[in-house]
Amino acid sequence: EKYHIRRYGFHGTSHRYVSKRVCEFLGVSPIGKKIIICHLGNGSSMSAVVDGKCVDTSMGLTPLEGVVMGTRSGSCDPAVVQFIANNDHMTVNEVLTMMNKQSGLLAISGISNDARDIRTRASEGDERCLLAFDMFAYKAMQQAGSMIASMAGVDTITFTAGIGENDWSIRKAFCDCFEWLGVRIDNNKNREAVGNGPQVISAAGSAVTVMVIPTDEEYMIAHDVERLTKNN
Ligand code: AMP
């Protein structure tokens, strides 16, 4: 209350567009549906949507909270800030700049924040690049796991943004973590769902529908502008 701190979430335009498209594409009502959106790009965030409304997000007051990102660490023990500041004689602002701009995939891989560069080196066996993807998928899985618990279930998991739309290996690594929940992806569909529009990539009989939906924030903004100008 004192500081008016609140969770802003971020990437809301993308999450709103994609969660809407999930139901349109499947031809179902959002009412009664529990959806997780994985917006995985240079900035990554996840949202939990129930009855068409966002009930949980991975980013907080700032975009630093949540999963591992291109240059952001994502969540970690807040005392890390004090530890690094004391050890390296840095200010809090300097440590937070490091956690926002020099961490995440960039720091773990040691080469780049660009998933394509890391994928190339990982396929050559570079251990730090392999670790970067393992950590990326693991933290996303942890976040989704907590959202599944808070929603008491999940009907649909949807991937979007640069990595979510294009990197089938990350999608597979993430989904394999949820085999215990009955999540099954169709490996062929998953590999083929790269830059070719909305797709269902789960296998027949999967307990959860898994999808890839390209985000379209520009469309959502234009749609909102039209709605607001018509109402006024
Ligand atoms: P975004 O922030 O949504 O633009 O996503 C940027 C991230 O998506 C970068 O890490 C890119 O390397 C990654 N990305 C874009 N295209 C591809 C691709 N074809 N395969 C793997 N990653 C990709």
Side-chain angles (χ1 to χ4, degrees):
E1 281 181 6
K2 182 174 174 188
Y3 300 106
H4 304 291
I5 290 175
R6 55 171 293 187
R7 303 184 64 80
Y8 286 99
F10 302 91
H11 290 146
T13 312
S14 172
H15 287 284
R16 198 152 64 89
Y17 172 80
V18 174
S19 59
K20 204 163 160 287
R21 282 293 287 139
V22 166
C23 295
E24 282 170 7
F25 188 78
L26 296 175
V28 296
S29 161
I31 304 305
K33 291 285 171 300
K34 299 170 181 174
I35 299 171
I36 289 179
I37 311 291
C38 308
H39 178 112
L40 306 179
N42 197 35
S44 294
S45 65
M46 298 175 53
S47 65
V49 179
V50 180
D51 294 337
K53 287 200 179 126
C54 180
V55 295
D56 201 357
T57 67
S58 62
M59 285 178 167
L61 173 72
T62 78
L64 187 56
E65 193 182 355
V67 297
V68 171
M69 308 176 214
T71 62
R72 295 191 193 107
S73 60
S75 296
C76 58
D77 182 347
V80 162
V81 177
Q82 182 192 40
F83 186 87
I84 296 174
N86 288 346
N87 266 277
D88 282 359
H89 307 293
M90 292 164 75
T91 65
V92 166
N93 283 358
E94 284 169 344
V95 177
L96 287 176
T97 298
M98 185 174 80
M99 291 171 80
N100 270 295
K101 301 204 158 136
Q102 296 153 21
S103 302
L105 292 178
L106 172 64
I108 305 165
S109 72
I111 58 154
S112 174
N113 63 311
D114 192 308
R116 287 163 289 196
D117 300 338
I118 303 171
R119 179 62 64 204
T120 304
R121 293 284 280 273
S123 62
E124 293 160 4
D126 184 296
E127 287 197 1
R128 285 183 62 171
C129 291
L130 288 165
L131 178 64
F133 280 131
D134 279 354
M135 289 177 72
F136 186 87
Y138 187 81
K139 286 289 180 182
M141 172 279 287
Q142 280 190 317
Q143 182 68 61
S146 102
M147 288 174 164
I148 292 167
S150 66
M151 293 192 293
V154 60
D155 300 301
T156 307
I157 295 173
T158 302
F159 295 95
T160 193
I163 297 173
E165 289 168 31
N166 294 297
D167 194 315
W168 61 264
S169 300
I170 287 283
R171 296 194 299 246
K172 178 164 169 49
F174 174 96
C175 290
D176 284 353
C177 296
F178 288 107
E179 262 190 33
W180 59 270
L181 189 65
V183 173
R184 302 275 182 276
I185 53 168
D186 181 312
N187 286 320
N188 290 332
K189 286 185 188 165
N190 182 38
R191 280 172 184 254
E192 283 159 17
V194 176
N196 50 355
Q199 309 277 328
V200 172
I201 59 166
S202 41
S206 174
V208 176
T209 306
V210 184
M211 303 176 72
V212 177
I213 295 193
T215 193
D216 194 344
E217 289 157 298
E218 292 81 2
Y219 167 85
M220 201 73 239
I221 291 165
H223 183 270
D224 282 349
V225 169
E226 185 190 36
R227 184 172 51 83
L228 288 167
T229 49
K230 269 189 184 160
N231 287 349
N232 292 324

